[in-house]
Amino acid sequence: MSFTPKVGIVSCSGEDCFGGGVSRMATLEVLHRLRPTDTVTICLPLFLAGSGGEREFAKSFPTITVDGCAKMCAAKGTAKYSSEPAVRINVSDYMDDPCSKVDGVAKAGEVSVVVRRVASDIASHVDRLRSQWR
Amino acid sequence: MKKVVVPCSGIGKAFGAVSRETTHLLTQGMHSTDYRTVCLPLLMTDDTEARQVIEESEVYVVDGCPMKCASVVVKHAGGKPVMEIIVPKVLAVNKDHRPATVLDIGEGGRLLCEDIVRIIIERGGKDE
């Protein structure tokens, strides 16, 4: 019986940028609804604040980072404190100016569409990474 | 002095979501002229501008668990928090305000956020 590792997903969840919220919502969508049995996560700041064990995360699991803006903090932080991510997703590739303030119900529909697209792409990467492992 | 609130935004537990929604109440609600926030991951990457904001501000940290990730990262970036709140400790004072899940903290979670906002505003700068 062959072993296929779960895929790690690390979201920036950046608080000062709307895209950080999108990264978080898309990551939670994959973890809880789209691929709950194939994925794991870790709080990004644990790489710095945790004991040495947390830093093994991206070495143990092929990891997808999900960033809310072009600063790519989750990808950089994962690479610096753990290991190079297998895939780097950037919400900036899915919406214009993700760090602008989004107000009003009118934007809610647009945001949910972006979250679904990002989540769908994460799920596709999860499937690809797991199939390549076999 | 500027006031900055920094949550851990932990993604694994409801308490991380509470830290995040507490920050929204302070930075997007009626107190938004007094409080702002900084992306915690930006501090991990040693961003110069974010570090400067932290060094020059009164920093309130809201952590979702005793690992105190947000506190550790803020201090790593040169900040000196005036208050370090751990969400479960606030819950221990009023156990009815228990958050539901990380996906939806529910009514209990929202009340817990309001408890934390009150602590920050009423006891600002005095960690107890």
Side-chain angles (χ1 to χ4, degrees), chain A residues 23-50:
Chain A
S23 77
R24 182 182 179 87
M25 286 187 273
T27 298
L28 286 169
E29 177 75 10
V30 177
L31 289 167
H32 290 267
R33 297 201 174 99
L34 298 183
R35 298 293 184 274
T37 60
D38 299 337
T39 53
V40 289
T41 191
I42 189 170
C43 301
L44 177 63
L46 257 181
F47 285 143
L48 180 62

Side-chain angles (χ1 to χ4, degrees), chain A residues 74-114:
Chain A
K76 289 178 185 171
T78 301
K80 181 176 181 180
Y81 293 105
S82 186
S83 189
E84 281 292 333
V87 177
R88 298 168 180 235
I89 287 179
N90 178 3
V91 171
S92 297
D93 294 335
Y94 297 80
M95 64 188 296
D96 294 332
D97 196 9
C99 288
S100 68
K101 303 294 179 195
V102 177
D103 296 312
V105 179
K107 286 279 186 185
E110 179 188 334
V111 168
S112 70
V113 168
V114 173

Side-chain angles (χ1 to χ4, degrees), chain B residues 67-113:
Chain B
M67 294 296 290
K68 297 181 71 172
C69 292
S71 282
V72 171
V73 174
V74 164
K75 290 171 186 171
H76 164 82
K80 297 185 178 81
V82 295
M83 184 175 269
E84 298 171 66
I85 290 174
I86 300 174
V87 175
K89 286 193 173 182
V90 180
L91 174 64
V93 176
N94 191 342
K95 294 184 174 133
D96 293 336
H97 296 179
R98 178 171 292 281
T101 70
V102 69
L103 295 174
D104 179 3
I105 61 173
E107 184 59 21
R110 283 184 277 280
L111 291 170
L112 184 56
C113 292

